[in-house]
Amino acid sequence: MPHSISTNNTLEVRFKLSTQDRENKKASRTYLDINTKIPASGVTAIFGHSGSGKTSLLRCIAGLEKAEQGKVSIHKNSWQETWQDTGYFLPVHKRSIGYVFQEASLFPHLTAQKNLTYAIKRSDKAVSAEFYQRVIGVMGIESILTHYPNQLSGGERQRIAIARALLIQPRLLLMDEPLAALDHQRKQEIIPYLERLHQSFDIPIIYVSHSMDEVARLADHILVLDQGKVIAEGGLTEVFSRINLPQRLEDESGVILNGHIVEQDNEWQLIKIAFANSHIWIPDSADILSEALGKSVRIRILARDVSLSLSNHDDTSIVNRILVTVMDIKSDEDSPMSLVRLKMGKEFLVAKMTKKSVHHLELTVGIQVWAQVKSVALVR
Amino acid sequence: MMLSDADIGALWLTLRLATTVTILLLIIGTPIAWWLSKTSSPFKGPVAAIVALPLVLPPTVLGFYLLIAMGPNGFIGELTQSLGLGTLPFTFWGLVFASVIYSMPFVVQPLHNAMEAIGERPLEVAATLRATPFDRFFTIVLPLAKPGFITASILGFAHTVGEFGVILMIGGNIPDETRVVSVQVYDHVESLEYAQAHSLSALLVIFSFVVLLALYATQRKTSNVGMMK
C-alpha cells in the first residue's frame, strides 16, 4: 500500500483535550480525542471543517496548547524524541518544530531580513550559506528582504514566515492553514511555492486545512478530523475512494488519482492520462502544454460528476465512458442519495446518484456497469 | 526672569527627584505590568487596585500614611532603622520612596496596556523560533511595548514634578533636600513674593506644555506603526 507507514518515520500522537473553542468563545467546548500515528515524511494534511479540532491538534503537537493527557513522540530515521508524555511536557521552544501560523506572524518591529535572522540566530544548528540561499530562492523573497512587514502583501508576508520557519531547521514543519487569510489570487500565487517547498526540502510537513483544493494539491497523506476525532486516515487517494465518510463531507466526495500523461490528441486537444490499468481523457490546457508527455499528474473526479449506465452509450457527449465494477453501495436512511464505489482497473471511482437510480438499475456489488465521467479536475 | 539661588536649588532638586523616581519606576513597574498582563491569579484585581490607589486618594491621605509608616515606629521606619539608614521622612530618599508610590499608576498602566496590546501571538511565534521566555521578553515584549515605555516615562516624570501634597506631608520644606519647585512656589506666594512665584510657575507651565506636546507627538508617531498583522 502506498500509504503504509514505516515504523521508523512516524509521529505518534495521543491527546485528550477539553477546551473552549478558540475562534468562537461562545461556541460549545471542543473535545479533542486523538490517538494516531502520523507519517513523519511527505505532507500530511489534517483536514476537517472549522471547529473539528484540527488547529487544536496542531497546537498540541507544537506544545502551544497543553492537553491534560497526551503523548507526542517523533521518530525520524534513527532520531527519536518525546515531546510530551505522562508527567512530561517539553516547552515549545525546545521542540524541533517550525510553525507557520494562519496569518503571517512576522515581528512588526523587524524587517523581513531581521525576521529571518531571528530564526537563524536561534537555529538548532548553524545555518549554512548554501541552505540560506536555497530557502530564499525557493520562497522567492530575495527582493523584499529589506521591507518591513507592513510594506509587504499578505502573500509576501506568508512566504517570509515560511522561510523563517525553515531557517530554524526543524525536524517537523507545522502549517496552520497558511493560506486561509489570503484572497483567491494570493492563494494561487503562493501554492506553487508550497509545492516547491515540498519538493526541495526533505522535511515532514503537517498541513492543516479545510480546503479540499489545497489538500488535493499538496498532501500525500490525510487525517480527517470531525468533532475532535479522527474519522479517516491514510494515503490521499485511498481515503478519498472511501464512501463511509460522514455525511457532512459528502458534498466533497470524490476520488483523487495519480497518473501520468501518455498521449496527446492534437486534433481535438485532448490528453490521455494513464493509471495502472485504465485511462482517462482530459482537455489539454495551457497549464500542461505539449512538453508534458510522461509527466505525472494528479486529478480529482467528484462523485457527483460520475453517472452510471448499464450499456455503453455511443450517442452521448460524455468522452470518458469506462467499464467498471461495483464494489460497494452506501445508502443512508435519512438521505435520498447513494454513493457507489467502483473499481476502474486498479483505481477506484465514486459515483453519487439517487437511491431511486440504484434501485432502477438494480445495482448490486460485483456487477459491471459503464461509468460516465462528466468532468475531471487537473489538480497538479 | 529672576531666579534666586533657592529657586535654582529647587529646580535642580525637582529634576533630580523626578529622574530618580522615573528610573526606579521603570525598573519596578515593568515586572509588575508584565505580571498584570499575563497572570490569571486571583491577586490580579487587588494588586491592580493597590497600584491605582494613588489616582483616587487625596495626596494628603497618602502622605499621612506614608509619614506614619516611615516614622520611627512605622514598619518602614523600623526597617530602615534596623538597616542603619535612620528614618526617611524629611529626607530626599523619603521623597523618592513616596513619589515612587504616588506616581506608580502613571507608569504601570501605560506599560500594562502596551504589553496587553501585544497579545499572545508574537510570543507564540517567538517560542516556535526557539526563543526562551527570557529571550522573548527582551526581543519581543520590550521592543513592541516601546510606545508604552515612552508614555510611561513621560507621565511618571511629569507627575513627579507636579507633586505637592505628598511632599508637603512627608518632606517638609528643607532647602536642597526636600524643597521642590511646587513647594518653593507655595513659599513665594505665602510670603507675597509674587514676581518670583510667577517666574517659577511660568517655567512649570511651559515645561508641562512641552512634555504633553512631546507625549502626543510620540503617540501619533507610534500609532502609525502597525501591530501584528
mmCIF file with all atom_site columns, all heavy atoms in Angstrom, chain B residues 83-108:
data_model
loop_
_atom_site.group_PDB
_atom_site.id
_atom_site.type_symbol
_atom_site.label_atom_id
_atom_site.label_alt_id
_atom_site.label_comp_id
_atom_site.label_asym_id
_atom_site.label_entity_id
_atom_site.label_seq_id
_atom_site.pdbx_PDB_ins_code
_atom_site.Cartn_x
_atom_site.Cartn_y
_atom_site.Cartn_z
_atom_site.occupancy
_atom_site.B_iso_or_equiv
_atom_site.pdbx_formal_charge
_atom_site.auth_seq_id
_atom_site.auth_comp_id
_atom_site.auth_asym_id
_atom_site.auth_atom_id
_atom_site.pdbx_PDB_model_num
ATOM 1   N N   . LEU B 1 83  ? 18.399 48.831 59.301 1.00 0.00 ? 83  LEU B N   1
ATOM 2   C CA  . LEU B 1 83  ? 19.445 48.782 58.272 1.00 0.00 ? 83  LEU B CA  1
ATOM 3   C C   . LEU B 1 83  ? 20.459 49.899 58.473 1.00 0.00 ? 83  LEU B C   1
ATOM 4   O O   . LEU B 1 83  ? 21.382 50.061 57.680 1.00 0.00 ? 83  LEU B O   1
ATOM 5   C CB  . LEU B 1 83  ? 18.813 48.899 56.874 1.00 0.00 ? 83  LEU B CB  1
ATOM 6   C CG  . LEU B 1 83  ? 17.944 47.724 56.422 1.00 0.00 ? 83  LEU B CG  1
ATOM 7   C CD1 . LEU B 1 83  ? 17.247 48.051 55.111 1.00 0.00 ? 83  LEU B CD1 1
ATOM 8   C CD2 . LEU B 1 83  ? 18.797 46.467 56.268 1.00 0.00 ? 83  LEU B CD2 1
ATOM 9   N N   . GLY B 1 84  ? 20.252 50.671 59.520 1.00 0.00 ? 84  GLY B N   1
ATOM 10  C CA  . GLY B 1 84  ? 21.188 51.746 59.817 1.00 0.00 ? 84  GLY B CA  1
ATOM 11  C C   . GLY B 1 84  ? 21.021 52.963 58.929 1.00 0.00 ? 84  GLY B C   1
ATOM 12  O O   . GLY B 1 84  ? 21.941 53.754 58.764 1.00 0.00 ? 84  GLY B O   1
ATOM 13  N N   . LEU B 1 85  ? 19.844 53.126 58.336 1.00 0.00 ? 85  LEU B N   1
ATOM 14  C CA  . LEU B 1 85  ? 19.618 54.251 57.427 1.00 0.00 ? 85  LEU B CA  1
ATOM 15  C C   . LEU B 1 85  ? 18.873 55.386 58.102 1.00 0.00 ? 85  LEU B C   1
ATOM 16  O O   . LEU B 1 85  ? 18.585 56.402 57.482 1.00 0.00 ? 85  LEU B O   1
ATOM 17  C CB  . LEU B 1 85  ? 18.817 53.779 56.199 1.00 0.00 ? 85  LEU B CB  1
ATOM 18  C CG  . LEU B 1 85  ? 19.449 52.683 55.350 1.00 0.00 ? 85  LEU B CG  1
ATOM 19  C CD1 . LEU B 1 85  ? 18.455 52.189 54.313 1.00 0.00 ? 85  LEU B CD1 1
ATOM 20  C CD2 . LEU B 1 85  ? 20.704 53.207 54.660 1.00 0.00 ? 85  LEU B CD2 1
ATOM 21  N N   . GLY B 1 86  ? 18.528 55.214 59.377 1.00 0.00 ? 86  GLY B N   1
ATOM 22  C CA  . GLY B 1 86  ? 17.727 56.237 60.041 1.00 0.00 ? 86  GLY B CA  1
ATOM 23  C C   . GLY B 1 86  ? 16.300 56.213 59.535 1.00 0.00 ? 86  GLY B C   1
ATOM 24  O O   . GLY B 1 86  ? 15.858 55.215 58.963 1.00 0.00 ? 86  GLY B O   1
ATOM 25  N N   . THR B 1 87  ? 15.583 57.307 59.707 1.00 0.00 ? 87  THR B N   1
ATOM 26  C CA  . THR B 1 87  ? 14.203 57.347 59.201 1.00 0.00 ? 87  THR B CA  1
ATOM 27  C C   . THR B 1 87  ? 14.152 58.192 57.947 1.00 0.00 ? 87  THR B C   1
ATOM 28  O O   . THR B 1 87  ? 14.994 59.073 57.738 1.00 0.00 ? 87  THR B O   1
ATOM 29  C CB  . THR B 1 87  ? 13.242 57.912 60.250 1.00 0.00 ? 87  THR B CB  1
ATOM 30  O OG1 . THR B 1 87  ? 13.760 59.164 60.689 1.00 0.00 ? 87  THR B OG1 1
ATOM 31  C CG2 . THR B 1 87  ? 13.092 56.962 61.427 1.00 0.00 ? 87  THR B CG2 1
ATOM 32  N N   . LEU B 1 88  ? 13.156 57.917 57.105 1.00 0.00 ? 88  LEU B N   1
ATOM 33  C CA  . LEU B 1 88  ? 13.078 58.534 55.778 1.00 0.00 ? 88  LEU B CA  1
ATOM 34  C C   . LEU B 1 88  ? 12.383 59.902 55.726 1.00 0.00 ? 88  LEU B C   1
ATOM 35  O O   . LEU B 1 88  ? 12.725 60.717 54.878 1.00 0.00 ? 88  LEU B O   1
ATOM 36  C CB  . LEU B 1 88  ? 12.401 57.580 54.798 1.00 0.00 ? 88  LEU B CB  1
ATOM 37  C CG  . LEU B 1 88  ? 13.236 56.370 54.368 1.00 0.00 ? 88  LEU B CG  1
ATOM 38  C CD1 . LEU B 1 88  ? 12.421 55.447 53.488 1.00 0.00 ? 88  LEU B CD1 1
ATOM 39  C CD2 . LEU B 1 88  ? 14.498 56.814 53.645 1.00 0.00 ? 88  LEU B CD2 1
ATOM 40  N N   . PRO B 1 89  ? 11.386 60.179 56.573 1.00 0.00 ? 89  PRO B N   1
ATOM 41  C CA  . PRO B 1 89  ? 10.706 61.464 56.422 1.00 0.00 ? 89  PRO B CA  1
ATOM 42  C C   . PRO B 1 89  ? 11.676 62.630 56.494 1.00 0.00 ? 89  PRO B C   1
ATOM 43  O O   . PRO B 1 89  ? 12.689 62.573 57.207 1.00 0.00 ? 89  PRO B O   1
ATOM 44  C CB  . PRO B 1 89  ? 9.736  61.484 57.602 1.00 0.00 ? 89  PRO B CB  1
ATOM 45  C CG  . PRO B 1 89  ? 9.490  60.049 57.904 1.00 0.00 ? 89  PRO B CG  1
ATOM 46  C CD  . PRO B 1 89  ? 10.775 59.349 57.614 1.00 0.00 ? 89  PRO B CD  1
ATOM 47  N N   . PHE B 1 90  ? 11.371 63.655 55.727 1.00 0.00 ? 90  PHE B N   1
ATOM 48  C CA  . PHE B 1 90  ? 12.171 64.882 55.663 1.00 0.00 ? 90  PHE B CA  1
ATOM 49  C C   . PHE B 1 90  ? 13.564 64.639 55.084 1.00 0.00 ? 90  PHE B C   1
ATOM 50  O O   . PHE B 1 90  ? 14.517 65.337 55.407 1.00 0.00 ? 90  PHE B O   1
ATOM 51  C CB  . PHE B 1 90  ? 12.260 65.551 57.047 1.00 0.00 ? 90  PHE B CB  1
ATOM 52  C CG  . PHE B 1 90  ? 10.894 65.673 57.675 1.00 0.00 ? 90  PHE B CG  1
ATOM 53  C CD1 . PHE B 1 90  ? 10.541 64.895 58.770 1.00 0.00 ? 90  PHE B CD1 1
ATOM 54  C CD2 . PHE B 1 90  ? 9.948  66.532 57.115 1.00 0.00 ? 90  PHE B CD2 1
ATOM 55  C CE1 . PHE B 1 90  ? 9.268  64.979 59.310 1.00 0.00 ? 90  PHE B CE1 1
ATOM 56  C CE2 . PHE B 1 90  ? 8.676  66.613 57.658 1.00 0.00 ? 90  PHE B CE2 1
ATOM 57  C CZ  . PHE B 1 90  ? 8.330  65.836 58.759 1.00 0.00 ? 90  PHE B CZ  1
ATOM 58  N N   . THR B 1 91  ? 13.687 63.583 54.244 1.00 0.00 ? 91  THR B N   1
ATOM 59  C CA  . THR B 1 91  ? 14.942 63.384 53.519 1.00 0.00 ? 91  THR B CA  1
ATOM 60  C C   . THR B 1 91  ? 14.611 63.236 52.037 1.00 0.00 ? 91  THR B C   1
ATOM 61  O O   . THR B 1 91  ? 13.460 62.971 51.662 1.00 0.00 ? 91  THR B O   1
ATOM 62  C CB  . THR B 1 91  ? 15.667 62.092 53.946 1.00 0.00 ? 91  THR B CB  1
ATOM 63  O OG1 . THR B 1 91  ? 14.849 60.984 53.555 1.00 0.00 ? 91  THR B OG1 1
ATOM 64  C CG2 . THR B 1 91  ? 15.923 62.056 55.437 1.00 0.00 ? 91  THR B CG2 1
ATOM 65  N N   . PHE B 1 92  ? 15.639 63.377 51.206 1.00 0.00 ? 92  PHE B N   1
ATOM 66  C CA  . PHE B 1 92  ? 15.461 63.214 49.761 1.00 0.00 ? 92  PHE B CA  1
ATOM 67  C C   . PHE B 1 92  ? 14.948 61.810 49.454 1.00 0.00 ? 92  PHE B C   1
ATOM 68  O O   . PHE B 1 92  ? 14.015 61.618 48.670 1.00 0.00 ? 92  PHE B O   1
ATOM 69  C CB  . PHE B 1 92  ? 16.788 63.464 49.050 1.00 0.00 ? 92  PHE B CB  1
ATOM 70  C CG  . PHE B 1 92  ? 16.733 63.231 47.565 1.00 0.00 ? 92  PHE B CG  1
ATOM 71  C CD1 . PHE B 1 92  ? 16.092 64.135 46.728 1.00 0.00 ? 92  PHE B CD1 1
ATOM 72  C CD2 . PHE B 1 92  ? 17.312 62.092 47.004 1.00 0.00 ? 92  PHE B CD2 1
ATOM 73  C CE1 . PHE B 1 92  ? 16.032 63.919 45.362 1.00 0.00 ? 92  PHE B CE1 1
ATOM 74  C CE2 . PHE B 1 92  ? 17.253 61.878 45.622 1.00 0.00 ? 92  PHE B CE2 1
ATOM 75  C CZ  . PHE B 1 92  ? 16.613 62.790 44.813 1.00 0.00 ? 92  PHE B CZ  1
ATOM 76  N N   . TRP B 1 93  ? 15.528 60.791 50.080 1.00 0.00 ? 93  TRP B N   1
ATOM 77  C CA  . TRP B 1 93  ? 15.148 59.416 49.757 1.00 0.00 ? 93  TRP B CA  1
ATOM 78  C C   . TRP B 1 93  ? 13.743 59.078 50.261 1.00 0.00 ? 93  TRP B C   1
ATOM 79  O O   . TRP B 1 93  ? 13.073 58.226 49.709 1.00 0.00 ? 93  TRP B O   1
ATOM 80  C CB  . TRP B 1 93  ? 16.183 58.422 50.270 1.00 0.00 ? 93  TRP B CB  1
ATOM 81  C CG  . TRP B 1 93  ? 17.414 58.549 49.415 1.00 0.00 ? 93  TRP B CG  1
ATOM 82  C CD1 . TRP B 1 93  ? 18.556 59.199 49.731 1.00 0.00 ? 93  TRP B CD1 1
ATOM 83  C CD2 . TRP B 1 93  ? 17.553 58.098 48.063 1.00 0.00 ? 93  TRP B CD2 1
ATOM 84  N NE1 . TRP B 1 93  ? 19.431 59.188 48.666 1.00 0.00 ? 93  TRP B NE1 1
ATOM 85  C CE2 . TRP B 1 93  ? 18.838 58.499 47.624 1.00 0.00 ? 93  TRP B CE2 1
ATOM 86  C CE3 . TRP B 1 93  ? 16.732 57.410 47.165 1.00 0.00 ? 93  TRP B CE3 1
ATOM 87  C CZ2 . TRP B 1 93  ? 19.320 58.239 46.346 1.00 0.00 ? 93  TRP B CZ2 1
ATOM 88  C CZ3 . TRP B 1 93  ? 17.211 57.135 45.891 1.00 0.00 ? 93  TRP B CZ3 1
ATOM 89  C CH2 . TRP B 1 93  ? 18.489 57.553 45.491 1.00 0.00 ? 93  TRP B CH2 1
ATOM 90  N N   . GLY B 1 94  ? 13.321 59.814 51.300 1.00 0.00 ? 94  GLY B N   1
ATOM 91  C CA  . GLY B 1 94  ? 11.923 59.694 51.735 1.00 0.00 ? 94  GLY B CA  1
ATOM 92  C C   . GLY B 1 94  ? 10.988 60.172 50.641 1.00 0.00 ? 94  GLY B C   1
ATOM 93  O O   . GLY B 1 94  ? 9.981  59.535 50.319 1.00 0.00 ? 94  GLY B O   1
ATOM 94  N N   . LEU B 1 95  ? 11.374 61.296 50.013 1.00 0.00 ? 95  LEU B N   1
ATOM 95  C CA  . LEU B 1 95  ? 10.575 61.820 48.898 1.00 0.00 ? 95  LEU B CA  1
ATOM 96  C C   . LEU B 1 95  ? 10.571 60.834 47.739 1.00 0.00 ? 95  LEU B C   1
ATOM 97  O O   . LEU B 1 95  ? 9.543  60.613 47.099 1.00 0.00 ? 95  LEU B O   1
ATOM 98  C CB  . LEU B 1 95  ? 11.154 63.148 48.399 1.00 0.00 ? 95  LEU B CB  1
ATOM 99  C CG  . LEU B 1 95  ? 10.942 64.392 49.237 1.00 0.00 ? 95  LEU B CG  1
ATOM 100 C CD1 . LEU B 1 95  ? 11.243 65.629 48.391 1.00 0.00 ? 95  LEU B CD1 1
ATOM 101 C CD2 . LEU B 1 95  ? 9.511  64.456 49.746 1.00 0.00 ? 95  LEU B CD2 1
ATOM 102 N N   . VAL B 1 96  ? 11.738 60.265 47.478 1.00 0.00 ? 96  VAL B N   1
ATOM 103 C CA  . VAL B 1 96  ? 11.832 59.303 46.371 1.00 0.00 ? 96  VAL B CA  1
ATOM 104 C C   . VAL B 1 96  ? 10.873 58.138 46.623 1.00 0.00 ? 96  VAL B C   1
ATOM 105 O O   . VAL B 1 96  ? 10.087 57.769 45.763 1.00 0.00 ? 96  VAL B O   1
ATOM 106 C CB  . VAL B 1 96  ? 13.277 58.776 46.220 1.00 0.00 ? 96  VAL B CB  1
ATOM 107 C CG1 . VAL B 1 96  ? 13.316 57.575 45.281 1.00 0.00 ? 96  VAL B CG1 1
ATOM 108 C CG2 . VAL B 1 96  ? 14.193 59.883 45.713 1.00 0.00 ? 96  VAL B CG2 1
ATOM 109 N N   . PHE B 1 97  ? 10.920 57.616 47.849 1.00 0.00 ? 97  PHE B N   1
ATOM 110 C CA  . PHE B 1 97  ? 10.064 56.479 48.171 1.00 0.00 ? 97  PHE B CA  1
ATOM 111 C C   . PHE B 1 97  ? 8.587  56.844 47.994 1.00 0.00 ? 97  PHE B C   1
ATOM 112 O O   . PHE B 1 97  ? 7.828  56.132 47.329 1.00 0.00 ? 97  PHE B O   1
ATOM 113 C CB  . PHE B 1 97  ? 10.329 56.018 49.610 1.00 0.00 ? 97  PHE B CB  1
ATOM 114 C CG  . PHE B 1 97  ? 9.523  54.821 50.003 1.00 0.00 ? 97  PHE B CG  1
ATOM 115 C CD1 . PHE B 1 97  ? 9.939  53.551 49.647 1.00 0.00 ? 97  PHE B CD1 1
ATOM 116 C CD2 . PHE B 1 97  ? 8.329  54.963 50.713 1.00 0.00 ? 97  PHE B CD2 1
ATOM 117 C CE1 . PHE B 1 97  ? 9.186  52.441 49.994 1.00 0.00 ? 97  PHE B CE1 1
ATOM 118 C CE2 . PHE B 1 97  ? 7.567  53.850 51.057 1.00 0.00 ? 97  PHE B CE2 1
ATOM 119 C CZ  . PHE B 1 97  ? 8.004  52.587 50.699 1.00 0.00 ? 97  PHE B CZ  1
ATOM 120 N N   . ALA B 1 98  ? 8.197  57.987 48.562 1.00 0.00 ? 98  ALA B N   1
ATOM 121 C CA  . ALA B 1 98  ? 6.792  58.395 48.478 1.00 0.00 ? 98  ALA B CA  1
ATOM 122 C C   . ALA B 1 98  ? 6.388  58.647 47.032 1.00 0.00 ? 98  ALA B C   1
ATOM 123 O O   . ALA B 1 98  ? 5.291  58.266 46.600 1.00 0.00 ? 98  ALA B O   1
ATOM 124 C CB  . ALA B 1 98  ? 6.571  59.653 49.313 1.00 0.00 ? 98  ALA B CB  1
ATOM 125 N N   . SER B 1 99  ? 7.295  59.255 46.272 1.00 0.00 ? 99  SER B N   1
ATOM 126 C CA  . SER B 1 99  ? 6.951  59.576 44.882 1.00 0.00 ? 99  SER B CA  1
ATOM 127 C C   . SER B 1 99  ? 6.812  58.318 44.035 1.00 0.00 ? 99  SER B C   1
ATOM 128 O O   . SER B 1 99  ? 5.999  58.266 43.107 1.00 0.00 ? 99  SER B O   1
ATOM 129 C CB  . SER B 1 99  ? 8.022  60.475 44.268 1.00 0.00 ? 99  SER B CB  1
ATOM 130 O OG  . SER B 1 99  ? 8.199  61.624 45.051 1.00 0.00 ? 99  SER B OG  1
ATOM 131 N N   . VAL B 1 100 ? 7.624  57.322 44.336 1.00 0.00 ? 100 VAL B N   1
ATOM 132 C CA  . VAL B 1 100 ? 7.520  56.059 43.592 1.00 0.00 ? 100 VAL B CA  1
ATOM 133 C C   . VAL B 1 100 ? 6.116  55.487 43.778 1.00 0.00 ? 100 VAL B C   1
ATOM 134 O O   . VAL B 1 100 ? 5.457  55.081 42.815 1.00 0.00 ? 100 VAL B O   1
ATOM 135 C CB  . VAL B 1 100 ? 8.602  55.055 44.061 1.00 0.00 ? 100 VAL B CB  1
ATOM 136 C CG1 . VAL B 1 100 ? 8.238  53.640 43.652 1.00 0.00 ? 100 VAL B CG1 1
ATOM 137 C CG2 . VAL B 1 100 ? 9.950  55.435 43.474 1.00 0.00 ? 100 VAL B CG2 1
ATOM 138 N N   . ILE B 1 101 ? 5.632  55.501 45.024 1.00 0.00 ? 101 ILE B N   1
ATOM 139 C CA  . ILE B 1 101 ? 4.277  55.003 45.280 1.00 0.00 ? 101 ILE B CA  1
ATOM 140 C C   . ILE B 1 101 ? 3.248  55.890 44.584 1.00 0.00 ? 101 ILE B C   1
ATOM 141 O O   . ILE B 1 101 ? 2.339  55.411 43.909 1.00 0.00 ? 101 ILE B O   1
ATOM 142 C CB  . ILE B 1 101 ? 3.991  55.004 46.809 1.00 0.00 ? 101 ILE B CB  1
ATOM 143 C CG1 . ILE B 1 101 ? 5.077  54.238 47.534 1.00 0.00 ? 101 ILE B CG1 1
ATOM 144 C CG2 . ILE B 1 101 ? 2.570  54.515 47.092 1.00 0.00 ? 101 ILE B CG2 1
ATOM 145 C CD1 . ILE B 1 101 ? 4.755  52.866 47.950 1.00 0.00 ? 101 ILE B CD1 1
ATOM 146 N N   . TYR B 1 102 ? 3.461  57.210 44.720 1.00 0.00 ? 102 TYR B N   1
ATOM 147 C CA  . TYR B 1 102 ? 2.469  58.151 44.233 1.00 0.00 ? 102 TYR B CA  1
ATOM 148 C C   . TYR B 1 102 ? 2.365  58.140 42.703 1.00 0.00 ? 102 TYR B C   1
ATOM 149 O O   . TYR B 1 102 ? 1.282  58.282 42.139 1.00 0.00 ? 102 TYR B O   1
ATOM 150 C CB  . TYR B 1 102 ? 2.856  59.555 44.737 1.00 0.00 ? 102 TYR B CB  1
ATOM 151 C CG  . TYR B 1 102 ? 1.852  60.627 44.435 1.00 0.00 ? 102 TYR B CG  1
ATOM 152 C CD1 . TYR B 1 102 ? 0.507  60.463 44.784 1.00 0.00 ? 102 TYR B CD1 1
ATOM 153 C CD2 . TYR B 1 102 ? 2.229  61.830 43.823 1.00 0.00 ? 102 TYR B CD2 1
ATOM 154 C CE1 . TYR B 1 102 ? -0.416 61.460 44.518 1.00 0.00 ? 102 TYR B CE1 1
ATOM 155 C CE2 . TYR B 1 102 ? 1.307  62.828 43.554 1.00 0.00 ? 102 TYR B CE2 1
ATOM 156 C CZ  . TYR B 1 102 ? -0.011 62.639 43.906 1.00 0.00 ? 102 TYR B CZ  1
ATOM 157 O OH  . TYR B 1 102 ? -0.931 63.614 43.649 1.00 0.00 ? 102 TYR B OH  1
ATOM 158 N N   . SER B 1 103 ? 3.483  57.965 42.022 1.00 0.00 ? 103 SER B N   1
ATOM 159 C CA  . SER B 1 103 ? 3.466  58.022 40.552 1.00 0.00 ? 103 SER B CA  1
ATOM 160 C C   . SER B 1 103 ? 3.354  56.647 39.903 1.00 0.00 ? 103 SER B C   1
ATOM 161 O O   . SER B 1 103 ? 3.308  56.531 38.676 1.00 0.00 ? 103 SER B O   1
ATOM 162 C CB  . SER B 1 103 ? 4.738  58.713 40.041 1.00 0.00 ? 103 SER B CB  1
ATOM 163 O OG  . SER B 1 103 ? 4.761  60.046 40.455 1.00 0.00 ? 103 SER B OG  1
ATOM 164 N N   . MET B 1 104 ? 3.324  55.611 40.715 1.00 0.00 ? 104 MET B N   1
ATOM 165 C CA  . MET B 1 104 ? 3.291  54.230 40.199 1.00 0.00 ? 104 MET B CA  1
ATOM 166 C C   . MET B 1 104 ? 2.222  53.998 39.114 1.00 0.00 ? 104 MET B C   1
ATOM 167 O O   . MET B 1 104 ? 2.528  53.470 38.053 1.00 0.00 ? 104 MET B O   1
ATOM 168 C CB  . MET B 1 104 ? 3.079  53.260 41.372 1.00 0.00 ? 104 MET B CB  1
ATOM 169 C CG  . MET B 1 104 ? 3.043  51.805 40.986 1.00 0.00 ? 104 MET B CG  1
ATOM 170 S SD  . MET B 1 104 ? 4.655  51.046 41.061 1.00 0.00 ? 104 MET B SD  1
ATOM 171 C CE  . MET B 1 104 ? 4.886  50.841 42.798 1.00 0.00 ? 104 MET B CE  1
ATOM 172 N N   . PRO B 1 105 ? 0.949  54.407 39.357 1.00 0.00 ? 105 PRO B N   1
ATOM 173 C CA  . PRO B 1 105 ? -0.064 54.101 38.341 1.00 0.00 ? 105 PRO B CA  1
ATOM 174 C C   . PRO B 1 105 ? 0.231  54.747 36.993 1.00 0.00 ? 105 PRO B C   1
ATOM 175 O O   . PRO B 1 105 ? -0.135 54.208 35.956 1.00 0.00 ? 105 PRO B O   1
ATOM 176 C CB  . PRO B 1 105 ? -1.364 54.644 38.937 1.00 0.00 ? 105 PRO B CB  1
ATOM 177 C CG  . PRO B 1 105 ? -0.970 55.535 40.055 1.00 0.00 ? 105 PRO B CG  1
ATOM 178 C CD  . PRO B 1 105 ? 0.361  55.050 40.543 1.00 0.00 ? 105 PRO B CD  1
ATOM 179 N N   . PHE B 1 106 ? 0.915  55.896 37.021 1.00 0.00 ? 106 PHE B N   1
ATOM 180 C CA  . PHE B 1 106 ? 1.172  56.597 35.763 1.00 0.00 ? 106 PHE B CA  1
ATOM 181 C C   . PHE B 1 106 ? 2.225  55.883 34.930 1.00 0.00 ? 106 PHE B C   1
ATOM 182 O O   . PHE B 1 106 ? 2.375  56.137 33.750 1.00 0.00 ? 106 PHE B O   1
ATOM 183 C CB  . PHE B 1 106 ? 1.608  58.042 36.046 1.00 0.00 ? 106 PHE B CB  1
ATOM 184 C CG  . PHE B 1 106 ? 0.499  58.851 36.626 1.00 0.00 ? 106 PHE B CG  1
ATOM 185 C CD1 . PHE B 1 106 ? 0.241  58.848 37.991 1.00 0.00 ? 106 PHE B CD1 1
ATOM 186 C CD2 . PHE B 1 106 ? -0.344 59.582 35.790 1.00 0.00 ? 106 PHE B CD2 1
ATOM 187 C CE1 . PHE B 1 106 ? -0.808 59.568 38.517 1.00 0.00 ? 106 PHE B CE1 1
ATOM 188 C CE2 . PHE B 1 106 ? -1.399 60.292 36.311 1.00 0.00 ? 106 PHE B CE2 1
ATOM 189 C CZ  . PHE B 1 106 ? -1.644 60.289 37.680 1.00 0.00 ? 106 PHE B CZ  1
ATOM 190 N N   . VAL B 1 107 ? 2.952  54.988 35.560 1.00 0.00 ? 107 VAL B N   1
ATOM 191 C CA  . VAL B 1 107 ? 3.951  54.205 34.825 1.00 0.00 ? 107 VAL B CA  1
ATOM 192 C C   . VAL B 1 107 ? 3.411  52.808 34.534 1.00 0.00 ? 107 VAL B C   1
ATOM 193 O O   . VAL B 1 107 ? 3.512  52.307 33.414 1.00 0.00 ? 107 VAL B O   1
ATOM 194 C CB  . VAL B 1 107 ? 5.268  54.130 35.636 1.00 0.00 ? 107 VAL B CB  1
ATOM 195 C CG1 . VAL B 1 107 ? 6.232  53.137 35.007 1.00 0.00 ? 107 VAL B CG1 1
ATOM 196 C CG2 . VAL B 1 107 ? 5.894  55.512 35.711 1.00 0.00 ? 107 VAL B CG2 1
ATOM 197 N N   . VAL B 1 108 ? 2.813  52.193 35.547 1.00 0.00 ? 108 VAL B N   1
ATOM 198 C CA  . VAL B 1 108 ? 2.369  50.808 35.378 1.00 0.00 ? 108 VAL B CA  1
ATOM 199 C C   . VAL B 1 108 ? 1.235  50.699 34.348 1.00 0.00 ? 108 VAL B C   1
ATOM 200 O O   . VAL B 1 108 ? 1.242  49.800 33.509 1.00 0.00 ? 108 VAL B O   1
ATOM 201 C CB  . VAL B 1 108 ? 1.937  50.198 36.733 1.00 0.00 ? 108 VAL B CB  1
ATOM 202 C CG1 . VAL B 1 108 ? 1.236  48.870 36.530 1.00 0.00 ? 108 VAL B CG1 1
ATOM 203 C CG2 . VAL B 1 108 ? 3.154  50.023 37.619 1.00 0.00 ? 108 VAL B CG2 1
#
